[in-house]
mmCIF file of all heavy atoms in Angstrom:
data_model
loop_
_atom_site.group_PDB
_atom_site.id
_atom_site.type_symbol
_atom_site.label_atom_id
_atom_site.label_comp_id
_atom_site.label_asym_id
_atom_site.label_seq_id
_atom_site.Cartn_x
_atom_site.Cartn_y
_atom_site.Cartn_z
ATOM 1 N N PRO A 70 61.281 -13.883 28.170
ATOM 2 C CA PRO A 70 60.428 -13.625 27.005
ATOM 3 C C PRO A 70 59.246 -14.580 26.865
ATOM 4 O O PRO A 70 58.147 -14.138 26.490
ATOM 5 C CB PRO A 70 61.395 -13.758 25.819
ATOM 6 C CG PRO A 70 62.655 -14.300 26.351
ATOM 7 C CD PRO A 70 62.699 -14.061 27.809
ATOM 8 N N ASP A 71 59.445 -15.849 27.152
ATOM 9 C CA ASP A 71 58.325 -16.800 27.007
ATOM 10 C C ASP A 71 57.214 -16.465 27.996
ATOM 11 O O ASP A 71 56.021 -16.464 27.656
ATOM 12 C CB ASP A 71 58.802 -18.237 27.232
ATOM 13 C CG ASP A 71 59.740 -18.695 26.124
ATOM 14 O OD1 ASP A 71 59.782 -18.025 25.072
ATOM 15 O OD2 ASP A 71 60.449 -19.696 26.323
ATOM 16 N N ALA A 72 57.615 -16.164 29.229
ATOM 17 C CA ALA A 72 56.619 -15.809 30.246
ATOM 18 C C ALA A 72 55.934 -14.494 29.897
ATOM 19 O O ALA A 72 54.724 -14.324 30.122
ATOM 20 C CB ALA A 72 57.282 -15.722 31.621
ATOM 21 N N LEU A 73 56.698 -13.561 29.338
ATOM 22 C CA LEU A 73 56.099 -12.277 28.942
ATOM 23 C C LEU A 73 55.086 -12.494 27.814
ATOM 24 O O LEU A 73 53.996 -11.907 27.825
ATOM 25 C CB LEU A 73 57.193 -11.288 28.517
ATOM 26 C CG LEU A 73 56.712 -9.941 27.965
ATOM 27 C CD1 LEU A 73 55.769 -9.236 28.936
ATOM 28 C CD2 LEU A 73 57.919 -9.033 27.655
ATOM 29 N N ALA A 74 55.423 -13.350 26.855
ATOM 30 C CA ALA A 74 54.490 -13.630 25.755
ATOM 31 C C ALA A 74 53.184 -14.197 26.313
ATOM 32 O O ALA A 74 52.080 -13.783 25.910
ATOM 33 C CB ALA A 74 55.129 -14.615 24.769
ATOM 34 N N GLN A 75 53.314 -15.097 27.242
ATOM 35 C CA GLN A 75 52.116 -15.692 27.861
ATOM 36 C C GLN A 75 51.334 -14.633 28.630
ATOM 37 O O GLN A 75 50.105 -14.574 28.569
ATOM 38 C CB GLN A 75 52.553 -16.823 28.789
ATOM 39 C CG GLN A 75 51.400 -17.648 29.320
ATOM 40 C CD GLN A 75 51.897 -18.775 30.230
ATOM 41 O OE1 GLN A 75 53.070 -19.135 30.204
ATOM 42 N NE2 GLN A 75 51.003 -19.312 31.035
ATOM 43 N N TRP A 76 52.059 -13.783 29.341
ATOM 44 C CA TRP A 76 51.428 -12.720 30.138
ATOM 45 C C TRP A 76 50.654 -11.769 29.220
ATOM 46 O O TRP A 76 49.534 -11.361 29.540
ATOM 47 C CB TRP A 76 52.528 -11.976 30.907
ATOM 48 C CG TRP A 76 52.026 -11.020 31.947
ATOM 49 C CD1 TRP A 76 51.889 -11.241 33.288
ATOM 50 C CD2 TRP A 76 51.600 -9.671 31.723
ATOM 51 N NE1 TRP A 76 51.403 -10.120 33.907
ATOM 52 C CE2 TRP A 76 51.216 -9.143 32.971
ATOM 53 C CE3 TRP A 76 51.511 -8.860 30.600
ATOM 54 C CZ2 TRP A 76 50.747 -7.843 33.117
ATOM 55 C CZ3 TRP A 76 51.034 -7.561 30.748
ATOM 56 C CH2 TRP A 76 50.663 -7.067 31.992
ATOM 57 N N LEU A 77 51.222 -11.429 28.083
ATOM 58 C CA LEU A 77 50.552 -10.515 27.139
ATOM 59 C C LEU A 77 49.220 -11.114 26.695
ATOM 60 O O LEU A 77 48.188 -10.421 26.647
ATOM 61 C CB LEU A 77 51.436 -10.269 25.916
ATOM 62 C CG LEU A 77 52.747 -9.509 26.137
ATOM 63 C CD1 LEU A 77 53.565 -9.480 24.845
ATOM 64 C CD2 LEU A 77 52.489 -8.097 26.636
ATOM 65 N N THR A 78 49.242 -12.385 26.381
ATOM 66 C CA THR A 78 48.026 -13.057 25.917
ATOM 67 C C THR A 78 46.997 -13.122 27.035
ATOM 68 O O THR A 78 45.812 -12.787 26.844
ATOM 69 C CB THR A 78 48.379 -14.476 25.425
ATOM 70 O OG1 THR A 78 49.366 -14.363 24.395
ATOM 71 C CG2 THR A 78 47.155 -15.180 24.886
ATOM 72 N N GLU A 79 47.448 -13.534 28.209
ATOM 73 C CA GLU A 79 46.520 -13.687 29.341
ATOM 74 C C GLU A 79 45.866 -12.359 29.733
ATOM 75 O O GLU A 79 44.739 -12.344 30.218
ATOM 76 C CB GLU A 79 47.273 -14.256 30.554
ATOM 77 C CG GLU A 79 47.603 -15.728 30.414
ATOM 78 C CD GLU A 79 48.501 -16.225 31.540
ATOM 79 O OE1 GLU A 79 48.879 -15.416 32.423
ATOM 80 O OE2 GLU A 79 48.828 -17.417 31.518
ATOM 81 N N HIS A 80 46.589 -11.261 29.558
ATOM 82 C CA HIS A 80 46.068 -9.959 29.978
ATOM 83 C C HIS A 80 45.440 -9.176 28.828
ATOM 84 O O HIS A 80 45.101 -7.998 28.985
ATOM 85 C CB HIS A 80 47.170 -9.134 30.652
ATOM 86 C CG HIS A 80 47.544 -9.670 32.011
ATOM 87 N ND1 HIS A 80 48.326 -10.789 32.188
ATOM 88 C CD2 HIS A 80 47.202 -9.260 33.254
ATOM 89 C CE1 HIS A 80 48.478 -11.027 33.472
ATOM 90 N NE2 HIS A 80 47.805 -10.115 34.145
ATOM 91 N N ALA A 103 58.974 -11.564 22.807
ATOM 92 C CA ALA A 103 57.638 -11.901 23.306
ATOM 93 C C ALA A 103 56.546 -11.371 22.378
ATOM 94 O O ALA A 103 55.558 -12.065 22.090
ATOM 95 C CB ALA A 103 57.451 -11.343 24.715
ATOM 96 N N ALA A 107 53.757 -13.569 20.523
ATOM 97 C CA ALA A 107 52.335 -13.366 20.842
ATOM 98 C C ALA A 107 51.607 -12.574 19.758
ATOM 99 O O ALA A 107 50.403 -12.324 19.882
ATOM 100 C CB ALA A 107 52.212 -12.638 22.191
#
Side-chain angles (χ1 to χ4, degrees):
D71 292 345
L73 175 55
Q75 189 179 342
W76 190 97
L77 294 174
T78 303
E79 286 173 359
H80 289 76

